[in-house]
Amino acid sequence: MTEQSLRRLIGAVSATIAALVLITVISSYLTRGSLPRNYGTEKVPAITAAVDISFDSYHRPFVTADNLQDAFFAEGWLHASERLWQMEMLRRAGSGRLAELLGGDLLDTDIQLWRSGVPQLAQRLEQNAGASLLTDIDVYLAGVNASMAYHKPSPPEFLLLSHRPKPWKRADVFALGALMASQSANNLSNELLRLDLLNVLGGKQFSLFLRDHRAIMDYPYILAGTSARIDQSLSLSTPSGTPEGLRNLLDPAENPLMPRLGFGSNGWVVGPERSASRQALFAFDSHDELGVPNLFYQVHLSYGDGRELNGWSVPGLPGVINGYNERIAWGFTNIGDSQDLFLEKRDPDDRLRYLDGEEWYTADTETVLIPIRDGSEHELTIITTRNGPLISEDPPLALAWTVHQLDQQGLDSMIDFNTARNWQEFNAALDDFPAPLLNATYADIDGNIGFRTAGRLPLRGAGNGLFPLRGDKPENRWQGTVPAEEMPRLLNPPQAYIAAANAGVNAADSGPLVSADNAAPYRIARLQSVLSGTDKLTLDDMQQLQMDWYDSQAAMLLPTMLRDLDITTLSDSASYATGLLLEWQAQPVATRDSAAAIIFQHWYLTLARDVFEPALGEDIYQRLLGKNYVLNQALDSLILDDTIRGWWPDNRERVLSRTLNRSIESLGRILGPDITSWRLDQLQSVALEHQVGKELPVFSEWFACSRKPWGGSPAAVGRANYKYTRPFEVSHGATVRVVAELGSGIKASSIIPGGQSGHPLSEHYCDQLPAWLSGDLLPITQPDRETAQQFRLTPN
């Protein structure tokens, strides 16, 4: 190389380095410049009087306003300053416009959103909105847009995508309401899975996946009654073709770029008779997909003459979802099945003609244009049969969803239950709540505790909503919805506690079927056992129960699994492991240092593969692993009921022993040969990931809260839930934990994973995670105005 060439090379490298340094400096300036500047005083439109905001040390805001509308303005300001990227993704998903921002890879998701009717629901919710709600939304949006104008540049996600978000409008708020209804609608994914399972297995073996723990005679229902077996008298013939590869792209568990807005959860309340303080106790922990930013943003609104609204809001919606005001506290847990699938019979010569009994009819159609990031548009024709819109055309598969035929119900009820002051007003608000279907736990300062199911519940013509029915049979069609006054509810029961945990609500003789597709009874059984054990429960007891790692699944299954082992075929290591399991099963707590906990969980999944994978094939088996509840119901039934034939690939005892041997051998390769040194937290961990980091791994560490070792199990009340496709990588857990004592003044503490801020450079992005991991709660108290960060909004 000549000296001149070398100089040119050095010059080129130097220029490249200088450019990279310049880009880094500019990027750092822009990203740090996008941190919220909520301090001092700012003049804003649309408020009637000054609004003061104080932040505690975790940046939880305490708003003081003259009226609720001014408080909503401040909430909109705070949401946009801290969570604008999250809001952008949520409004785009609810309106079917993800591909416009993220490109053609999201087109299939937008298509499914439109075919399912999510953007159309948003439009109906806006049409149904009353004048008072629109006023509240307008002032909230004024706060959002004023904050967007004040905080420039935009958060770093927008910088990476070279995107400038547009001002918010009414339709965006209703888009979030529609998305929330969709993601919590329950078992669409499970019905699609069962359709594929039937296609692979045939009717006899498939019946295992229609079994339900509701058949257990002592099932721990919320509302007592007589159990009955699930109706399996369905025509289980294999359909002529199933939707190959059709996935529920609206489920974040199946589509990592789908924003999270669904609810899981535990919730329980204790009456004065069981409380050490003789005041009602409230405990709630919402179980959702973990990530940053957190699903919820905590806010505290004080307004008017002593009115309060405190709790956990969804950025993009005014008010709070779960929370408390000056008189009542409430929490929502996901339950209920408001969606069913129907296999339609289509005229082979006309894609718009469908059979209904002996009559052929022409389906309705709607055409929409879906924008894509490259500037093009996709034209989509949506076909709607008498059962609902087609989410698949090969075969024609129609989705019935209660909100497709929404009357005058809308989001007005959300503000109404936020401001309710007693059980009667709370119930009246929920009578008009359209979707999603939810269980509400309730407590108030007068010592009342209550429960009810809210939302629109279908009256089915046939079946239990577990599996797609034939759409050409008129007797299968829905017959309307359950009247609000017939929805399950309970006030001040004799046992003086009520618990809900995504499990079955009521027995066959005590009201309508809320859902046959429920969580196994692990958590609800443990909650009822602990709450019934004493009449001197305290807030500390509530807090400890939220982190309870007692594995009720292990307690239920291990006696049978260990009893039925063929001990003559066990390896020395497996024999030693059985001793650990025998000792542990008396008190199966999945502590971080437990060897038995990791052995049980690993053995369970090894057994699942041995039993199901040969019959299903790898692809369908992986889909089954993605649905923990469906797999639990099926495998637990096989373990506990030795009359079930045709599934065990070998002698039952040999299968249990073989899979234990394999599990111990596999764990030994990972953790070493010394079982006494094994710990659950050597494998199990939790990380809070960001959507951008998932899609662009180069940014994953910058956007994520780092992975931490952890304990617990998917079956525990203190849920450490992972997808069975990615064992021990905890992905679902409590997105908020709160406990409260409802006396003359409500005493409450809470925690969220991550932090209040959605900005990765903020000190409040991950600052609550250490306390969340250890099970600590942060008292909710008004910060000292002399020392706290202060911000004032004043009228123009």
Side-chain angles (χ1 to χ4, degrees), residues 247-364:
R247 302 288 192 269
N248 183 10
L249 296 176
L250 312 191
D251 183 351
E254 299 190 36
N255 181 359
L257 285 178
M258 190 69 188
R260 316 180 309 279
L261 196 52
F263 305 110
S265 316
N266 295 324
W268 64 89
V269 285
V270 174
E273 301 92 331
R274 283 194 181 273
S275 165
S277 67
R278 294 302 178 242
Q279 295 172 332
L281 303 178
F282 170 84
F284 177 77
D285 50 308
S286 184
H287 294 170
D288 315 296
E289 185 171 358
L290 297 170
V292 279
N294 187 51
L295 172 59
F296 293 112
Y297 179 84
Q298 189 169 345
V299 67
H300 311 268
L301 310 178
S302 300
Y303 64 96
D305 185 15
R307 296 304 307 269
E308 299 277 342
L309 179 56
N310 308 308
W312 295 270
S313 62
V314 169
L317 291 173
V320 301
I321 303 298
N322 306 294
Y324 59 97
N325 57 36
E326 74 279 6
R327 290 192 56 85
I328 73 171
W330 67 92
F332 290 114
T333 59
N334 187 24
I335 195 62
D337 179 9
S338 61
Q339 295 183 333
D340 282 345
L341 293 176
F342 291 87
L343 282 160
E344 302 286 9
K345 188 167 185 179
R346 180 176 53 205
D347 184 338
D349 298 321
D350 188 343
R351 66 190 285 258
L352 298 183
R353 280 172 51 84
Y354 295 84
L355 188 63
D356 182 11
E358 298 181 358
E359 170 196 2
W360 290 92
Y361 68 94
T362 300
D364 296 329

Side-chain angles (χ1 to χ4, degrees), residues 40-52 73 791-796:
T41 301
E42 180 67 16
K43 290 185 177 182
V44 294
I47 60 174
T48 60
V51 177
D52 290 312
F73 179 97
F791 185 47
R792 169 169 277 202
L793 300 171
T794 61
N796 274 338

Side-chain angles (χ1 to χ4, degrees), residues 646-700:
W647 266 106
W648 294 99
D650 195 352
N651 173 277
R652 175 189 173 97
E653 289 75 13
R654 282 196 293 268
V655 173
L656 287 166
S657 304
R658 180 172 67 229
T659 53
L660 179 58
N661 282 333
R662 287 178 183 169
S663 182
I664 298 303
E665 182 182 357
S666 176
L667 286 170
R669 287 194 296 268
I670 301 169
L671 304 176
D674 182 9
I675 297 179
T676 62
S677 68
W678 292 0
R679 295 171 54 100
L680 175 59
D681 63 5
Q682 289 175 284
L683 276 189
Q684 187 154 290
S685 61
V686 59
L688 306 183
E689 298 181 309
H690 189 289
Q691 288 169 310
V692 170
K694 289 179 182 179
E695 190 67 12
L696 302 172
V698 69
F699 294 106
S700 60

Side-chain angles (χ1 to χ4, degrees), residues 209-255:
F209 295 97
L210 296 183
R211 293 175 67 94
D212 191 291
H213 281 288
R214 284 161 33 93
I216 299 173
M217 292 305 294
D218 59 351
Y219 187 91
Y221 293 110
I222 299 171
L223 276 65
T226 304
S227 299
R229 289 191 173 273
I230 295 296
D231 176 18
Q232 297 183 42
S233 58
L234 304 177
S235 175
L236 297 178
S237 57
T238 304
S240 56
T242 56
E244 285 188 26
L246 182 62
R247 302 288 192 269
N248 183 10
L249 296 176
L250 312 191
D251 183 351
E254 299 190 36
N255 181 359

Side-chain angles (χ1 to χ4, degrees), residues 53-319:
I53 306 173
S54 300
F55 296 91
D56 70 8
S57 58
Y58 288 91
H59 214 62
R60 299 182 296 184
F62 292 75
V63 175
T64 303
D66 277 6
N67 55 70
L68 183 58
Q69 284 70 41
D70 285 356
F72 282 156
F73 179 97
E75 184 182 27
W77 177 286
L78 292 165
H79 281 169
S81 65
E82 299 284 4
R83 302 289 189 88
L84 190 59
W85 165 257
Q86 181 182 23
M87 293 169 64
E88 181 74 9
M89 289 294 289
L90 291 172
R91 71 168 168 175
R92 285 186 171 276
S95 56
R97 294 186 297 118
L98 288 167
E100 185 181 31
L101 175 65
L102 300 176
D105 288 347
L106 271 295
L107 178 60
D108 285 344
T109 302
D110 283 345
I111 288 172
Q112 196 168 121
L113 284 160
W114 278 100
R115 282 181 166 170
S116 299
V118 176
Q120 297 94 319
L121 171 59
Q123 294 165 9
R124 282 194 294 276
L125 290 173
E126 185 171 6
Q127 293 166 3
N128 290 352
S132 178
L133 175 64
L134 292 177
T135 298
D136 291 338
I137 287 176
D138 285 345
V139 296
Y140 171 83
L141 291 175
V144 169
N145 293 325
S147 182
M148 289 175 65
Y150 176 75
H151 289 102
K152 292 181 179 179
S154 295
E157 296 93 339
F158 296 107
L159 179 65
L160 287 171
L161 290 170
S162 301
H163 175 74
R164 177 168 294 184
K166 295 179 180 178
W168 272 58
K169 53 189 179 182
R170 285 178 176 176
D172 298 324
V173 172
F174 294 104
L176 264 72
L179 182 65
M180 181 172 63
S182 170
Q183 286 198 4
S184 297
N186 210 309
N187 75 336
L188 170 61
S189 294
N190 293 351
E191 288 196 45
L192 290 172
L193 171 61
R194 290 192 181 97
L195 191 60
D196 279 341
L197 288 169
L198 175 61
N199 191 46
V200 169
L201 296 172
K204 185 175 181 180
Q205 279 191 299
F206 172 72
S207 63
L208 175 68
F209 295 97
L210 296 183
R211 293 175 67 94
D212 191 291
H213 281 288
R214 284 161 33 93
I216 299 173
M217 292 305 294
D218 59 351
Y219 187 91
Y221 293 110
I222 299 171
L223 276 65
T226 304
S227 299
R229 289 191 173 273
I230 295 296
D231 176 18
Q232 297 183 42
S233 58
L234 304 177
S235 175
L236 297 178
S237 57
T238 304
S240 56
T242 56
E244 285 188 26
L246 182 62
R247 302 288 192 269
N248 183 10
L249 296 176
L250 312 191
D251 183 351
E254 299 190 36
N255 181 359
L257 285 178
M258 190 69 188
R260 316 180 309 279
L261 196 52
F263 305 110
S265 316
N266 295 324
W268 64 89
V269 285
V270 174
E273 301 92 331
R274 283 194 181 273
S275 165
S277 67
R278 294 302 178 242
Q279 295 172 332
L281 303 178
F282 170 84
F284 177 77
D285 50 308
S286 184
H287 294 170
D288 315 296
E289 185 171 358
L290 297 170
V292 279
N294 187 51
L295 172 59
F296 293 112
Y297 179 84
Q298 189 169 345
V299 67
H300 311 268
L301 310 178
S302 300
Y303 64 96
D305 185 15
R307 296 304 307 269
E308 299 277 342
L309 179 56
N310 308 308
W312 295 270
S313 62
V314 169
L317 291 173

Side-chain angles (χ1 to χ4, degrees), residues 60 62 298 300 312 324 738 746 748-750 778-782:
R60 299 182 296 184
F62 292 75
Q298 189 169 345
H300 311 268
W312 295 270
Y324 59 97
V738 57
I746 297 179
S749 299
S750 71
L778 308 176
I780 302 172
T781 56
Q782 184 80 30

